Amino acid sequence: LLSSSDEAKSLFEKPAWEGVLEIPASAKSSAPLSQGALLGPYRIEKLIGAGGMGEVFKALDTRLRREVAVKALPGGFVHTGDALARFQREARILGSLNHPNIAAVFGLEELNGHRYLVLEYVPGKTLAERIGRGPLPIEECLQISKQVAEALEAAHEKGIVHRDLKPANIKITPEGKVKVLDFGLAKDIAADTSSAAGNSPTMADSPAYTQAGIILGTAAYMSPEQARGKPVDKRADIWAFGCVLYECL
């Protein structure tokens, strides 16, 4: 029973489309960025994260001498209009947010037909890693959750819903500063008010995804309406926040 419980927990913490949507082999590898490669003024140092939707590299801004994170669009999606639009939308959404608990965006770069998103590099561990060491004391939980709530409030005031809030998308710096990451599935509700009601904001934008009926987000943290592919608003983030808070304790 314990083994089955662990397997179920692992399943629900994965993105909802993972294991259902077969990602083409060409889409699993991003544009080649090797250690020492230059992307404009950014020198690539190392790969720090990878998944079905892209790779993230740590890099150095050689002009300002600061560390940054470079997010690469998967190679198979480089020439896909929907994927490029999603990538650019993430940059615009982050560009509209200016809050100490939200990782900032520095710009969009292009090299040999590939797009890259340059983001604030946040050192430290994710909340998921911290939870993995055991339940958080009440005081620590309150300090972290307060900062997450402030980040969500700032986004919601701009009409932006994150739609994928979870411990893996929350980073805690060595100084205890919390940063909410990965607005790749975020939705600008204000910008979409003119959209047709039938266009579910919780469904993937790529035709390949919508044909497969894939829901965006991570199952364990989805509100009921998001899990059903219904239109969502900030209450979906509040639900996810409650799930994260419960998991911390």
Side-chain angles (χ1 to χ4, degrees):
L1 288 175
L2 290 174
S3 175
S4 298
S5 176
D6 290 340
E7 290 177 4
K9 187 174 186 293
S10 174
L11 171 65
F12 281 107
E13 286 179 347
K14 295 179 179 179
W17 49 265
E18 191 172 307
V20 179
L21 177 64
E22 181 65 28
I23 300 175
S26 60
K28 293 181 180 178
S29 59
S30 303
L33 282 181
S34 57
Q35 184 176 3
L38 283 175
L39 175 64
Y42 306 106
R43 185 170 67 239
I44 303 300
E45 294 187 344
K46 62 179 179 179
L47 177 69
I48 57 176
M53 299 305 290
E55 296 175 336
V56 180
F57 299 84
K58 181 181 177 182
L60 177 69
D61 184 336
T62 58
R63 291 179 302 191
L64 301 179
R65 307 304 297 177
R66 64 179 175 182
E67 295 176 323
V68 299
V70 176
K71 184 176 182 179
L73 190 66
F77 295 150
V78 168
H79 302 296
T80 302
D82 291 328
L84 287 174
R86 180 185 297 281
F87 209 56
Q88 292 171 330
R89 185 172 67 246
E90 180 180 0
R92 287 195 301 270
I93 285 175
L94 285 172
S96 71
L97 298 174
N98 181 17
H99 193 273
N101 296 119
I102 296 175
V105 62
F106 297 142
L108 272 172
E109 295 287 335
E110 184 171 351
L111 178 66
N112 298 328
H114 295 270
R115 299 288 181 88
Y116 302 92
L117 192 57
V118 183
L119 305 160
E120 175 185 2
Y121 172 70
V122 183
K125 302 292 186 180
T126 67
L127 181 56
E129 292 172 301
R130 172 60 189 87
I131 291 172
R133 302 204 308 267
L136 280 64
I138 294 294
E139 185 60 33
E140 182 181 359
C141 182
L142 288 174
Q143 291 175 355
I144 293 172
S145 60
K146 179 178 182 293
Q147 295 180 69
V148 174
E150 289 174 348
L152 289 178
E153 182 180 30
H156 294 164
E157 286 177 351
K158 294 283 189 176
I160 294 167
V161 180
H162 188 285
R163 295 198 302 176
D164 197 25
L165 185 72
K166 57 185 176 182
N169 285 339
I170 298 169
K171 203 82 174 281
I172 307 167
T173 71
E175 297 76 29
K177 173 70 74 174
V178 170
K179 295 278 188 176
V180 175
L181 312 175
D182 199 349
F183 278 72
L185 299 185
K187 197 73 170 180
D188 187 341
I189 301 298
D192 292 328
T193 52
S194 60
S195 298
N199 293 332
S200 169
T202 63
M203 299 297 288
D205 295 333
S206 168
Y209 289 177
T210 52
Q211 288 172 9
I214 304 304
I215 305 295
L216 289 180
T218 303
Y221 308 94
M222 282 184 181
S223 65
E225 63 273 20
Q226 186 174 2
R228 295 187 179 99
K230 302 294 184 181
V232 300
D233 57 27
K234 65 182 182 181
R235 290 172 291 185
D237 283 348
I238 295 171
W239 174 284
F241 174 70
C243 294
V244 171
L245 183 59
Y246 178 82
E247 191 172 353
C248 285
L249 298 171

